[in-house]
Structure formats: C-alpha cells, structure tokens
C-alpha cells in the first residue's frame, strides 16, 4: 500500500495569530496543525505548500483572501503557459502556491481546493527520490529535477523539485538556513529525509 501524508505541523511564533490567519485565508481543517516554536530559521525553508484549485477565479479568491488576512505577495497571481497562479508568504513564513492548470473559469468562484501538496526542494533529487520510494511512496511521474509521488486522493500530495528551481518558482532566493519549521505526519512513521525534513507518526 502506498504511503500517505495525513497532516502537517508548522512551527510558528504565535499559534493564536497563525490559526486566525489560516482560518481566514484557507480553512484547511485538520490537515494543518500549529505549534509554538522559536527554532532558528532564516531565508528559504526548502519547501512550498500548494493549493491546487479548479479554475482561475478560485485561485484569485484564495490568493486575495490570504493577502487580506496578512500574507505577503511573493509572486503576483497571473496567467502563465501552464495555467494561472501566484505565491504568498504567510505571516509565519510558510510559502503558499495557489494554482490551477485551467486557463478559463466555468463556475462562480469558491474557496474550495482539490489538493494540498507539499513540494520539497531537494539538494539531490535522485537521493531524495530513493529515500521516499524506500519509505513506500510510489512515483507517479518523474523528469529531470522534478518528482511527483502517487498519493491517494483525499490525502496530502508530495513532490520533489531541485531546491534552487523551487525557490525561483516561488519568487524567493534559494538562500536559507536553520530549521524547516515543518513536521510531516504520515504512514512512514519516524524518519528524516536527506534534506533534514522530519517525519513523525500520524497524530490523532
């Protein structure tokens, strides 16, 4: 059986403030957990979180809601060759990519999203791919510096991208050090990947 991600925990300086932001911006429910931590961290944390939506209007609505709730714009929402999307940085420092492959709207805008995806910026994509396949994740597609794992519908998605390329796609510098300030909860249990991302058992 393919491994899965059940939830994510972000380390934030103020849980109350962070919870208020996420409730107003995205309403992710139990998929996102928060805890108070002040571990040293600077610059790019080596990952992005993506909300994949059905149409541009939905992406724009979520993007604007995040900015209104206090997020900073890192890449303005706009059309591109692959669809429509933009990147914001939450007040706690997490980078959120809000995107769709669709270029046209077909229904009234809503704040619903189809998938939540963790995309890890790997120093060595091949080594990280080997680590995750050993943990039970099956590869859906892979080319060059990008790997997309085949996670079951309804769970959090997982992908790998070369660190510098991921930072560029998010509109930030690839420089960064210290804690990733994220813990991944999934069926692999306790583990640490080649880039220092910590996994722990699913929390109930």
């Amino acid at each position: 059986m393919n491994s899965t991600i059940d939830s994510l925990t972000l380390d934030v300086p103020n849980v109350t403030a962070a919870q208020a932001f996420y409730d107003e911006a995205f309403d992710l429910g139990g998929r996102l957990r928060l805890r108070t931590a002040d571990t040293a961290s600077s610059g790019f944390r080596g990952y992005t979180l993506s909300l994949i939506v059905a149409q541009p209007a939905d992406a724009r609505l979520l993007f604007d809601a995040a900015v209104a709730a206090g997020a900073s714009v890192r890449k303005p929402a706009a059309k591109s060759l692959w669809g429509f999307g933009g990147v914001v940085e939450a007040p706690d420092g997490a980078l959120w990519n809000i995107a769709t492959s669709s270029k046209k709207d077909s229904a009234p805008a809503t704040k619903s999203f189809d998938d939540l995806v963790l995309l890890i910026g790997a120093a060595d994509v091949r080594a990280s791919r080997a680590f995750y396949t050993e943990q039970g994740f099956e590869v859906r597609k892979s080319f060059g510096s990008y790997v997309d794992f085949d996670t079951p519908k309804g769970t959090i998605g997982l992908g790998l991208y070369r660190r510098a390329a991921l930072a560029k796609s998010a509109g930030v510098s690839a420089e960064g050090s210290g804690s990733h300030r994220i813990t991944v909860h999934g069926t692999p249990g306790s583990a640490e990947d080649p880039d220092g991302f910590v996994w722990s058992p699913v929390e109930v």
Side-chain angles (χ1 to χ4, degrees):
M1 185 177 181
N2 200 4
S3 291
T4 61
I5 301 175
D6 172 76
S7 62
L8 305 166
T9 294
L10 296 181
D11 294 344
V12 300
N14 185 311
V15 168
T16 300
Q19 190 66 65
F21 167 79
Y22 285 111
D23 287 347
E24 183 177 348
F26 303 141
D27 190 19
L28 300 167
R31 284 169 286 198
L32 185 69
R33 304 165 187 266
L34 305 167
R35 68 183 173 205
T36 303
D38 58 359
T39 309
S41 181
S42 64
F44 183 46
R45 296 178 184 170
Y47 74 90
T48 62
L49 295 167
S50 296
L51 294 178
I52 309 302
V53 300
Q55 59 180 4
D58 300 340
R60 172 64 71 182
L61 187 61
L62 283 165
F63 187 93
D64 290 347
V67 173
S72 301
V73 176
R74 289 292 168 256
K75 182 172 283 189
K79 293 181 180 179
S80 69
L81 290 175
W82 49 262
F84 181 92
V87 179
V88 297
E89 182 177 337
D92 62 83
L95 292 170
W96 291 83
N97 177 40
I98 306 165
T100 177
S101 59
S102 174
K103 297 185 179 181
K104 295 183 178 180
D105 296 320
S106 58
T110 72
K111 290 177 70 175
S112 63
F113 55 90
D114 297 329
D115 296 294
L116 168 59
V117 179
L118 168 64
L119 190 54
I120 291 175
D124 184 334
V125 174
R126 180 177 295 182
S128 292
R129 170 180 167 157
F131 170 83
Y132 281 109
T133 55
E134 288 172 2
Q135 300 302 314
F137 285 92
E138 298 175 3
V139 175
R140 175 162 39 206
K141 57 184 176 181
S142 175
F143 49 89
S145 61
Y146 178 76
V147 178
D148 177 33
F149 293 101
D150 188 14
T151 51
K153 190 69 177 175
T155 64
I156 297 172
L158 176 65
L160 304 172
Y161 201 15
R162 186 167 50 85
R163 180 185 171 95
L166 180 58
K168 182 178 180 180
S169 73
V172 299
S173 168
E175 297 300 317
S177 61
S179 172
H180 296 299
R181 291 196 175 182
I182 187 171
T183 300
V184 188
H185 304 286
T187 52
S190 298
E192 183 173 325
D193 84 352
D195 293 284
F197 285 89
V198 174
W199 286 68
S200 70
V202 174
E203 291 189 350
V204 178

